[in-house]
Amino acid sequence: MHSYIQLLSTPTADTAGTAMILDVGKQRYLFGNIHEGLQRACIQRNSKLSKTTEVFITGTTEWKNVGGLFGLILTLADANAASSMSEAETARQRKDAENPEQLAAKSEKLAKVEADRKQALLEAGLNPDEQVGATEKYGKHQPTLPTLTVHGGENLTHTVATGRRFIFRKGMPVDIIEHSEARQSELTGDGREPDWMDDSIQVWKLPIQPSLESGAPETGLESPRKRSFDEFVGVDLPSPRNDAASVEHSYTPANLKDKDQEMRQFVVTEMFNSQWRLDALFEISLRDLNMPAMLWIRNKESNKLERYYPPEDGPLPDIKVLARRPWPGALVEKLPPTKPSKLAMSYIVRHYPQKGKFVPQKAKSLNVHHLVWSALQKGTTVKSRDGVTVTPDMVLEPTRIGGGFAIVDLPTKDYLPSLITRPEWNTSRVMDGLQAIVWNLGPGVARDPALQAFIQQHSGLKHVVSAPDLSTNYIVFDSSAALVIRLNQIDSQRYQIPIHSNISPVQPSDDSGETKNLGYVEATRDFRLQLEPQLQTQEPPTKQPFLDTRKVLELTPKGVLELAEQARDDVAADRLIEKLTGQNLPSQDAEVICLGTGSSAPSKYRNVSATLLRVPGCGSYLFDCGEGTLGQLRRLYNPTELEGVLRDLKAIWISHMHADHHLGTTSVIKAWREANYGLSDGRVEPGSPRETPMSFVEAVQEKKLFLFAGEQMIRWLAEYSSVEAYGYDKLIAIKTHPSKAHSFSYMEWRGAQLGFRTYDPIMNKAMSEATGIKNLVSCFVDHCQGAQAVTVRFHTGFGFSYSGDCRPSEAFIRIGWGSTVLVHEATFDDEMQDDAKAKKHSTMSEAIGVASAMGAKRLILTHFSQRYQKLPNLGALDDTEVKFDDPEPSVDGAKDTDATQIFDETNPSPGDYDRVAGQDISTTPPAKGRTSPSTSLDNSPPPSPTKHELKIAIAFDFLRVRVGDIASMEKFTPSLQLLFEMLERREKEEAYHNPGEVARRKKEEQKQEKREAQEKLIKEKQEAKALKKASLRKLRWNTADNKGNSDIGAPDSTQVVSEVTHVDRTEAVVEEAGLQSPRPVMEHAAK
């Protein structure tokens, strides 16, 4: 058996913790912190997680340790689904390729092997039916659905269940095994039994509490009593029977006394193993349905289903409609509350005792049949051919103790006493064979004397230490950084080299200045330790542990640098003649920072969606916040600068609930809280929404971070706040809902309506002063349920529009009319128009069309498909006007009465380009070269720019561009195109000569040669057989023709029919073999 552990990550700006993989050949196990960025780090290092079915999370249950779990589950589920489809397709192709003769020969061979096996087992005194036979081993195999099991500490189930509103997969069931003291194995005899085991490893859990624990901090969220499951299902089922009892599920809790935990387990089960179907519709009265919802009706004439859109005004008609039944997990309106836990999980992992190697010579000398050797290897006693009993120890080398390791997670020094006094360290059942300890430590723990003494006490073990104060802040995402470094060579004003360091922190030294031998080695990326068959430190797969930035700079083609130099000269000339300074744009010093420009999932070159806007004199604003956003900020700003950015951050906008747009929000909020209020002690802060209610004006007297999002996002953050005090108490979470008028949006906070343009001047002033924003308007867009685009306007006259994910939208054009900058998604190239429509995204030309119709001055394209790893196709773009998919999402639930009572529609400020609410609004966007309709306000926006006037920028990660400099970026397009052409060519050459690729091609060539040889052999056999039959038939007929009918006798009618049938078959075989047809000879013989 061969096994090894390999580190996947250590603490850096990109990766907050330590994770590693245990590889035993047939399976992989993931241990450590499942932090944000882990999935992307694995992609960068080509570390495959496809065989992973067990995840063991160390440390406490908080976002820095579990923030990457949702993305990991989604990726593994999709990979397993694709793998299952691939396996089924491969099996089908293999079956189609096999001809009947091959199948018959294989079956015959299999039957003979099975018969010989049974006979040998009977002679050895074994029951053949109890042993694995050739049919079961080599016959048909029905693949089972893989299950991902996640092990961790308290609140892990609750954390996963909070994602029910945006996580749903059916490709892989997920089981959560959350530690409970009641389930802890007891020490018996020489040691307790493992807490978990499978065919390869045994695992002992080490739950550790801090010694200074004085009880969990009060959060104000504890339930005063245990409540039933039905009490928490507060959402009505969209069916004639509106009661929670109608939710059907197959999950049956086993030995769970806590009803709250039972409900959480139910939610997780339904998230990943539901019987819900997307295409299942049910009939319901429109008036009984909870809106919004996607509806259909059946056309009475064509009997086909058609989308139905209910009227926006007036009462709903009394008709029957068809709707999808919500999946059961989403019907749980809220989870039962919990409280933060300081319990930190660690693990001891052991292999089973390793059986000695089988010695064939001993088995032969004992006259044991070779077909029963496998039974001896499995530990079964057999009889030799001489009738002598043979035991396994007679043919196997001595059994040895299985190796193992421990992974210990200590967040602070307070956990050391509890760890050191654990009984497992003195238990032979657990410790025998242990070879190494991997330490995942918090700041300052590694230098604690108590830990150093413990390491010296167990000096016989290999100690590997990973800690933030010992780890190197190396670049994790080499491909992305290398791209940014080359972009910096081309345009250093817009791209800066990511902040990093390849120098290890200074290690402790003694009085003489010599570095102390602390008995451990520092954890590094790709560190690999072999456990079986013997302990051995292995060289990492890559010889270069860090990105060689100097080599990256040297490999940039000279032609690219020459074009870049020419572009810089052109930009300087433009500035000299004041072409750029005369742009007449508001807030030209405002800066747009692209932190993530990819779609769907992180890749080597692009992170997922996040855009930071910094407006001098107003504040900083984050638009979407995908996983890893905080890491991108740490690479862009040094600690002092980052603290200033976070202090200046006023608001976060989340466009929709797809995971690639919001999974980094919790980390950013926590960092904002620490920058403004210091580290949290986990207690409820004054002004928390869990304390005494206060008005909005009172709440914003203290500095708060605003979050504008849909209701589902706010509910998720609120539910997770009971797991960790990450700063929710300092958050003003405002639910936004578009109005039918396009000059304002409905906003709600703690049940109260508020906004920027209400009849309450005190409210308007408080909103504006707290956020630095003059007005914020959103609209629904066509992408997913609740997806919104937004336009933010400032007192300087600067307007910023952000599309999120969507198809081209007329409503978005209206609310963003005259924007200074538009950031629009361009997921697909123009050649993939059908894919864009099917997946509800936009192409590059469509995004440009929206910007032109909107009258935007500047356009930044982002959110590119990850299939375009570097530069999108900048070929000829479509000049036609943008076309819209009809109809667009409606603003269901908006009420005109609310607008007249709450919002001031008649007193817009000069310079505000929003339409006036309550007036007739044209349903068509303004045409090119025309001003807005008569309903526009005092200062009408300029005409829509032509394509030549519209300045366009292509975004890459780490782009930092001033609004006034966007126009100059097009100067660098030729150098960028040449750069990526050369890089792509070089990458293909390197991939072609890569040893792995060479081996793969050689293997494919060998398979192809083998297939061709088999096909040639089969064809030759068929030709020979057909030729032999044809020759014999021809000889027989010629002989009959020469001798006459008198010699052979006249055939009867039955014989003639048989001969003719046989002639037809023979002719078919001969023709199929490519030989000349014997039909003339046969016809002559028939006469």
Side-chain angles (χ1 to χ4, degrees), residues 460-499:
L461 303 177
K462 184 83 171 182
H463 295 271
V464 183
V465 175
S466 177
D469 48 347
L470 298 180
S471 298
T472 303
N473 188 26
Y474 58 87
I475 288 177
V476 177
F477 310 125
D478 301 30
S479 299
S480 175
L483 175 59
V484 175
I485 290 171
R486 291 190 172 99
L487 292 173
N488 171 265
Q489 287 181 282
I490 295 173
D491 187 2
S492 59
Q493 296 296 318
R494 255 64 65 181
Y495 295 95
Q496 68 180 43
I497 297 176
I499 296 173

Side-chain angles (χ1 to χ4, degrees), residues 61-184:
T61 302
E62 54 183 309
W63 195 257
K64 73 181 184 67
N65 296 332
V66 301
L69 183 60
F70 287 123
L72 178 70
I73 292 175
L74 291 175
T75 299
L76 290 177
D78 294 341
N80 283 323
S83 176
S84 300
M85 294 177 62
S86 177
E87 290 178 2
E89 179 64 18
T90 301
R92 186 191 65 79
Q93 293 178 355
R94 186 183 297 114
K95 183 177 180 180
D96 294 343
E98 294 178 335
N99 57 43
E101 292 184 2
Q102 287 179 310
L103 292 174
K106 184 183 291 186
S107 299
E108 183 179 350
K109 182 179 179 180
L110 192 63
K112 185 177 183 306
V113 171
E114 181 69 6
D116 294 343
R117 184 192 69 86
K118 289 184 177 181
Q119 181 62 31
L121 290 173
L122 288 172
E123 293 176 357
L126 301 176
N127 183 358
D129 296 333
E130 296 178 355
Q131 306 295 323
V132 177
T135 303
E136 290 79 5
K137 186 175 181 180
Y138 302 106
K140 295 182 178 180
H141 172 66
Q142 297 295 334
T144 58
L145 196 63
T147 298
L148 178 67
T149 305
V150 184
H151 308 255
E154 294 173 345
N155 291 331
L156 180 59
T157 309
H158 184 98
T159 300
V160 176
T162 61
R164 66 192 180 280
R165 296 181 176 91
F166 56 91
I167 300 291
F168 177 75
R169 285 295 187 274
K170 299 178 68 173
M172 183 178 64
V174 175
D175 289 337
I176 305 295
I177 299 181
E178 183 175 312
H179 171 75
S180 170
E181 292 293 345
R183 299 175 60 181
Q184 185 78 20

Side-chain angles (χ1 to χ4, degrees), residues 515-687:
T515 301
K516 290 183 179 180
N517 181 12
L518 299 178
Y520 61 77
V521 296
E522 179 188 338
T524 58
R525 177 173 65 171
D526 295 332
F527 176 87
R528 181 180 288 191
L529 188 66
Q530 178 181 285
L531 301 176
E532 295 289 351
Q534 61 183 0
L535 184 68
Q536 180 182 353
T537 302
Q538 297 180 330
E539 290 293 331
T542 56
K543 297 294 184 181
Q544 180 65 37
F546 305 129
L547 177 66
D548 189 343
T549 55
R550 181 177 301 177
K551 184 178 180 180
V552 173
L553 294 172
E554 293 174 352
L555 290 177
T556 303
K558 184 177 179 181
V560 172
L561 299 179
E562 292 174 351
L563 288 174
E565 182 65 27
Q566 181 61 45
R568 286 191 288 270
D569 292 341
D570 293 342
V571 171
D574 287 344
R575 286 177 177 167
L576 184 63
I577 60 177
E578 297 184 348
K579 285 187 176 180
L580 294 180
T581 56
Q583 295 177 95
N584 194 27
L585 296 176
S587 298
Q588 292 192 44
D589 290 336
E591 190 177 27
V592 180
I593 300 100
C594 297
L595 302 171
T597 59
S599 66
S600 182
S603 74
K604 292 194 298 183
Y605 297 97
R606 296 182 184 271
N607 198 39
V608 288
S609 297
T611 301
L612 179 67
L613 174 66
R614 305 193 68 186
V615 183
C618 297
S620 297
Y621 309 87
L622 190 58
F623 294 83
D624 280 335
C625 190
E627 179 181 336
T629 297
L630 183 60
Q632 298 286 88
L633 286 169
R634 287 171 173 164
R635 290 298 185 191
L636 202 56
Y637 300 101
N638 63 44
T640 303
E641 292 173 334
L642 179 57
E643 183 176 356
V645 171
L646 292 172
R647 286 178 176 272
D648 192 47
L649 184 63
K650 298 292 185 64
I652 301 174
W653 164 266
I654 301 299
S655 61
H656 61 288
M657 284 300 287
H658 281 170
D660 59 317
H661 287 255
H662 69 79
L663 282 182
T665 309
T666 304
S667 296
V668 172
I669 295 175
K670 187 172 184 178
W672 179 92
R673 191 196 190 288
E674 293 176 356
N676 287 277
Y677 291 96
L679 295 175
S680 171
D681 59 2
R683 294 180 172 84
V684 179
E685 298 291 338

Side-chain angles (χ1 to χ4, degrees), residues 830-902:
D830 290 350
E831 298 175 353
M832 306 186 70
Q833 178 74 34
D834 293 339
D835 292 74
K837 289 183 177 180
K839 298 181 180 181
K840 297 188 177 182
H841 285 289
S842 299
T843 66
M844 292 183 68
S845 288
E846 288 175 333
I848 294 173
V850 170
S852 181
M854 183 183 288
K857 314 302 184 303
R858 301 292 182 263
L859 170 65
I860 298 178
L861 297 177
T862 185
H863 197 270
F864 298 106
S865 172
Q866 299 290 15
R867 72 188 70 194
Y868 310 127
Q869 296 292 358
K870 297 169 186 164
L871 187 68
N873 187 356
L874 294 177
L877 297 173
D878 189 2
D879 289 327
T880 59
E881 293 186 2
V882 63
K883 298 179 180 179
F884 302 98
D885 301 332
D886 291 323
E888 290 195 72
S890 61
V891 285
D892 298 317
K895 298 179 181 179
D896 290 333
T897 54
D898 293 338
T900 58
Q901 294 173 0
I902 303 297

Side-chain angles (χ1 to χ4, degrees), residues 76-77 111 120 129 173 181 235 252 254 286 346 431 472 516 595 669 690 749 811 830 861 879 932 971 1005 1008 1012 1074:
L76 290 177
D129 296 333
E181 292 293 345
V235 179
T252 303
L286 179 60
S346 299
M431 292 295 293
T472 303
K516 290 183 179 180
L595 302 171
I669 295 175
R690 304 166 210 157
W749 177 71
D830 290 350
L861 297 177
D879 289 327
S932 57
K971 303 285 187 181
E1005 291 172 357
Q1008 182 64 23
E1012 292 176 354

Side-chain angles (χ1 to χ4, degrees), residues 18 54 57 62 104 155 166 212 438 445 460 497 507 539 873 968:
T18 303
E54 304 291 335
I57 301 177
E62 54 183 309
N155 291 331
F166 56 91
L212 301 181
V438 178
V445 181
I497 297 176
Q507 300 295 328
E539 290 293 331
N873 187 356
S968 65

